[in-house]
Every structure is written in structure tokens, then in C-alpha cells.
């Protein structure tokens, strides 16, 4: 009997010690990244919007950090998304432009995504929303590190808009009025179901990419028409995600980042958003195309009301998340183009690097170092027959004093221009050789239609 009691006591001591050790071991932090589509710098209250109500996003900034000089790696969708989840300029992946439903290419399998790195470190991973990195099975989220996927595989203005669940079509009919609601419900469910394990949640809204839609609950409620309705519903979604974190006691162990994939699509005027004080928008390498509204929130870690005005980018999210989650052993061995900005988030240091290359269609059109930005000579940029950016020679801007890129300082600062061009040359050598661009779209053969028209024209003229 004494031996039995002694053995039981030993088991109790061992169990107590194990529980104590487990309680003392810090739990890995959860990561939530929320990505809007074509959201402008001037569409969020904390970035200057006065006619759109965004209390939840503004609240993240007020209780966290606002990054006022934060860049996407491209002025269009697919390259930006590739950069965000790999930490590498999309040129390194051969992804120069947008994937289409007729594309037979996608994100290269040898790339290690954030999801793959975190999954290898014991994380549950999910993406709800727009993927846009290839829709054939080998390119979809489940083959790139995600445990769950629900959403539209590309932009909502493209042919064949469907909802996928995992690798399979869940619905051939998509009521776009409820897209934001649908993704939000999936995200909240995922948080509820994974409250007891570390997770990476990537919410990639289709809105406010055109065509824009809001649910009946939000339609007609804003001061900026339908576009404002859409933004206010996105803000509601952010609030629902934060509520779910609070309800499950996860808020103080979760980093939440809200950002946009590129600037607003200004050619759609009232349905295209606002770049605020920035010049131009989506599709251009002016600030309005790639400087995006970004905030981060982590109670107890990020000091409330922090504002960071220096350079930071989507490329930084990969190394930052790897560092915060201790996932170095499972991360890519390929060169990264961002850096760990957790010291920026926690207010202990500034970002070390101060250079950024503005790529468009795989070509560097502009380059920033410190406060200075140089734009290389450029031909007219057209959409159809409309010129959205007139041709221009070399432009030099001081972004510290001229965020709107209105004052060309080339003539008064030739030495600075020469300095930046030398830095750009050094940067190109550092990047080295990059792969050929992926074939993302091929023209259809319409010669038969042309011949028929010619024959019809011949008959009508009697030839």
C-alpha cells in the first residue's frame, strides 16, 4: 500500500511539474493579415478620409501603429500577392503581371510561402478570399502551405467567377453582394475552431476591386456612394475579426496587420477609390500606385498611437512573421528582399534598409533611397486609347517634403540624381539574374473572324 501511495505521489509531482513547465512555455503568437484589393491611401479615416467611416481600422491604428510610407511590391494584384507571401520581389519569381482564368502558370512550387514556413512550425493555416496566384490545382493554396481555403481564385471581374472550397468548386453562382460577409464568416469560424493552437489567418478581400458590391445592411449608408458602402463593410469585417479574437482570449497573443495590395483604380472614378494626397493610382509606379494604407495591432506589444513615417514594405512581412513565430528552420533558403521590422512595430529601432525598387511589368521604373525617389524616362502609359500617365523624362522627388510628387528637382539637384542612379545600378547587381517572365496570357487566334469580315466586305463591294 505504501509503495502504491508513493508511486501515486510521484506521478502527481511529475504531472504538476509538467503542467507548470507547459504554463511557463510561451505560446507561439497568432498572425492575422487582412488584405484589401485596390484600396486607396485616401479611403481610410486614419489616412485622411472624411467621407467614409472606418472606426475599426482607425481603432487598430489608434491602439497600434500606423505605417505612413508602406509599399506594395507592385502596382497590380498577382505580383503583389506573390511578394507578400514569399518576401521576394515578384521579378525573382517571374511573376510580372496578373494571372487570368486562361493562365496555365502560377506561383512556382519551389517557393516557400509564409504558410508553408509556419505550417512546418506547427501552425494551422488558412486563406479566405482572393488568391490570384494561379488557379490550376498545383498552384492553389492547399498545395502552397494552407490547410484551408475558401474564396474566388482570381479577380471578381474575370470570367468564370466561382467559389472554391479547397481544390474544388463549392459554388458556380457567386452573389457578389455577400462576398465580404462570406469571407468574414469563414474567418470567424476558423478563429473559433483554432483558439487552442497557433494559427496564421490570411483574409484577402475581393473588395473594393471593381465591380463593387455591398450587402443590403451597408448599401446606401455611406457619404461616398457605393464605394463608401463597400469600405464601411470592409471595416465592419475587421471589427468582427478582432471581436472573435477577444471572445476567444487571443487578442494579446495575436499580431493583426491590415493593408492593401496596391493603390486605387482611378479610371473607374467614383467606383475607383481615392489616393488622397498621392499622385496617380493602380497600374502606375507613382506613390498612389504602391504606397498603401497599412496598420498593425498587437495589444501589450505595440505601443498605442505609434506612427512610423519611414520606408517599410509588404516584402518585410515574411521575415517579420518568421522571426516572431520562431519559424527560421522552415523558412526559404532563397534570398529575401524585405527585413524583420518587429523592432519598428515594438518601437525599439528603425528599419535598417532605406531602398525600394518600383517594378512594373518586370521593369524597374523608379527607385527610392531614403527620402529621395528617382523616376526613369517613360513613354505614355495607356489604358485602351486613354493616356493615364503622359510620357516624361527623368523625374526626381523628395518624398519627405513632396508626398504628391509635384516638384521635379532634377535640375536643382543633379548630384542627388547621379547618386541615386549609382545606387540603383548597385541594387540591380545585388538582385542579379532573374528568371524569364511566366506566360500569364496568350492572345486567341481570331484570324477566322478577320477572314470572314474580309469576305463579307468583298461580297458587298462586288469584288
Amino acid at each position: 500500500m505504501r509503495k502504491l501511495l508513493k508511486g501515486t505521489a510521484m506521478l502527481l509531482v511529475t504531472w504538476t511539474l509538467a503542467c507548470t513547465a507547459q504554463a511557463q512555455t510561451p505560446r507561439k503568437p497568432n498572425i492575422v493579415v487582412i488584405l484589401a484589393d485596390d484600396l486607396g491611401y485616401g479611403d481610410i479615416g486614419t489616412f485622411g478620409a472624411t467621407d467614409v467611416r472606418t472606426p475599426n481600422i482607425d481603432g487598430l491604428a489608434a491602439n497600434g501603429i500606423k505605417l505612413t510610407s508602406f509599399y506594395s511590391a507592385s502596382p497590380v494584384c498577382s505580383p503583389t500577392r506573390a511578394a507578400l507571401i514569399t518576401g521576394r520581389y515578384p521579378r525573382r519569381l517571374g511573376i510580372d503581371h496578373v494571372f487570368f482564368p486562361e493562365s496555365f502558370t502560377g506561383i512556382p512550387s519551389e517557393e516557400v510561402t509564409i504558410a508553408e514556413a509556419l505550417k512546418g512550425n506547427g501552425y494551422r493555416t488558412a486563406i479566405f478570399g482572393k488568391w490570384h496566384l494561379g488557379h490550376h490545382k498545383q498552384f492553389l493554396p492547399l498545395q502552397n502551405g494552407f490547410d484551408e481555403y475558401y474564396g474566388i481564385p482570381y479577380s471578381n471581374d474575370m470570367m468564370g467567377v466561382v467559389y472554391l472550397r479547397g481544390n474544388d468548386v463549392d459554388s458556380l453562382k457567386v452573389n457578389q453582394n455577400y462576398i465580404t460577409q462570406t469571407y468574414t464568416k469563414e474567418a470567424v469560424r476558423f478563429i473559433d475552431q483554432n483558439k487552442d493552437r497557433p494559427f496564421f489567418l490570411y483574409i484577402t478581400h475581393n473588395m473594393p476591386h471593381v465591380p463593387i458590391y455591398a450587402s443590403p445592411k451597408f448599401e446606401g449608408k455611406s457619404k461616398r456612394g457605393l464605394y463608401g458602402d463597400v469600405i464601411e463593410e470592409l471595416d465592419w469585417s475587421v471589427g468582427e475579426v478582432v471581436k472573435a479574437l477577444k471572445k476567444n482570449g487571443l487578442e494579446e497573443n495575436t499580431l493583426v496587420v491590415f493593408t492593401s495590395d496596391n493603390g486605387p483604380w482611378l479610371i473607374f472614378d467614383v467606383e475607383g477609390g481615392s489616393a488622397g494626397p498621392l499622385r496617380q493610382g493602380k497600374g502606375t509606379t507613382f506613390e498612389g500606385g504602391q504606397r498603401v494604407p497599412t496598420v498593425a495591432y498587437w495589444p501589450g506589444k505595440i505601443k498605442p498611437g505609434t506612427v512610423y513615417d519611414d520606408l517599410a514594405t509588404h516584402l518585410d512581412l515574411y521575415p517579420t512573421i518568421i522571426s516572431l513565430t520562431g519559424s527560421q528552420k522552415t523558412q526559404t533558403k532563397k534570398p529575401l528582399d524585405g527585413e524583420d521590422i518587429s523592432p519598428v512595430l515594438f518601437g525599439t529601432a528603425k528599419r535598417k534598409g532605406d531602398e525600394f525598387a518600383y517594378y512594373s511589368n518586370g521593369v524597374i521604373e523608379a527607385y527610392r533611397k531614403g527620402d529621395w525617389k528617382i523616376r526613369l524616362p517613360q513613354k505614355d502609359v495607356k489604358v485602351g486609347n486613354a493616356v493615364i500617365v503622359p510620357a516624361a523624362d527623368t523625374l526626381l522627388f523628395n518624398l519627405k517634403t513632396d508626398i504628391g510628387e509635384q516638384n521635379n528637382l532634377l535640375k536643382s539637384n543633379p548630384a542627388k540624381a547621379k547618386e541615386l542612379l549609382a545606387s540603383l545600378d548597385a541594387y540591380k547587381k545585388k538582385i542579379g539574374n532573374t528568371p524569364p517572365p511566366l506566360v500569364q496570357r496568350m492572345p486567341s487566334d481570331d484570324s477566322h473572324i478577320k477572314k470572314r469580315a474580309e469576305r463579307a466586305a468583298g461580297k458587298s463591294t462586288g469584288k
Side-chain angles (χ1 to χ4, degrees), residues 178-443:
Y178 293 94
I179 288 178
T180 300
Q181 299 271 336
T182 298
Y183 296 159
T184 305
K185 288 177 183 177
E186 291 286 342
V188 170
R189 172 195 57 78
F190 178 81
I191 293 170
D192 289 343
Q193 291 180 352
N194 292 279
K195 61 185 178 182
D196 296 322
R197 66 178 93 176
F199 60 77
F200 169 52
L201 172 58
Y202 187 30
I203 308 167
T204 54
H205 290 288
N206 283 90
M207 296 292 120
H209 189 293
V210 289
I212 56 174
Y213 293 90
S215 69
K217 181 180 177 182
F218 289 89
E219 199 167 358
K221 300 296 194 300
S222 82
K223 295 179 181 179
R224 207 199 287 182
L226 180 58
Y227 188 89
D229 300 341
V230 168
I231 303 307
E232 291 187 2
E233 186 159 27
L234 285 176
D235 182 77
W236 163 84
S237 177
V238 170
E240 291 300 295
V241 170
V242 173
K243 261 197 260 181
L245 294 173
K246 288 180 179 178
K247 181 185 74 173
N248 289 291
L250 302 174
E251 191 182 23
E252 293 186 358
N253 196 43
T254 303
L255 170 65
V256 179
V257 177
F258 177 88
T259 186
S260 178
D261 67 342
N262 47 246
W265 212 348
L266 298 178
I267 62 170
F268 290 99
D269 48 83
V270 295
E271 294 195 345
S274 167
L278 308 180
R279 184 171 176 179
Q280 288 294 334
K282 176 179 178 174
T284 80
T285 50
F286 283 101
E287 293 297 285
Q290 291 186 246
R291 191 187 288 218
V292 290
T294 303
V295 299
Y297 172 71
W298 190 349
K301 296 283 188 179
I302 299 176
K303 183 180 178 181
T306 302
V307 177
Y308 187 74
D309 294 323
D310 290 338
L311 174 73
T313 81
H314 279 159
L315 295 160
D316 299 331
L317 293 181
Y318 188 107
T320 301
I321 291 169
I322 292 296
S323 173
L324 291 172
T325 59
S327 303
Q328 285 83 356
K329 290 182 179 179
T330 49
Q331 72 170 329
T332 184
K333 300 299 185 288
K334 296 186 176 185
L336 297 177
D337 294 304
E339 66 178 78
D340 174 11
I341 58 167
S342 54
V344 170
L345 300 181
F346 303 148
T348 58
K350 289 189 173 186
R351 189 180 189 272
K352 296 175 184 176
D354 67 346
E355 66 177 348
F356 178 71
Y358 300 73
Y359 281 91
S360 179
N361 287 311
V363 176
I364 297 175
E365 291 187 350
Y367 172 77
R368 174 176 174 174
K369 187 169 180 60
D371 294 331
W372 290 85
K373 176 180 179 179
I374 191 164
R375 287 186 57 82
L376 305 178
Q378 188 177 6
K379 296 179 180 179
D380 286 344
V381 176
K382 295 183 178 180
V383 175
N385 293 321
V387 176
I388 61 170
V389 181
D393 205 340
T394 304
L395 302 174
L396 179 68
F397 303 112
N398 185 326
L399 297 175
K400 186 84 169 179
T401 58
D402 182 22
I403 192 174
E405 298 173 285
Q406 297 301 309
N407 303 309
N408 184 10
L409 302 177
L410 183 66
K411 289 183 179 179
S412 59
N413 289 270
K416 177 58 71 173
K418 186 177 180 180
E419 176 190 324
L420 260 65
L421 289 173
S423 295
L424 175 56
D425 285 341
Y427 162 81
K428 288 178 178 177
K429 290 176 183 176
K430 183 174 69 175
I431 290 291
N433 295 326
T434 54
L438 296 178
V439 177
Q440 291 175 252
R441 198 172 202 184
M442 295 175 287

Side-chain angles (χ1 to χ4, degrees), residues 39 45 89 164-165 381 404:
L39 181 72
Y89 275 113
L164 297 186
R165 170 85 62 189
V381 176

Side-chain angles (χ1 to χ4, degrees), residues 444-455:
S444 58
D445 184 349
D446 294 331
S447 59
H448 54 300
I449 297 173
K450 183 179 179 181
K451 288 176 182 177
R452 184 184 67 178
E454 289 172 349
R455 289 194 297 271

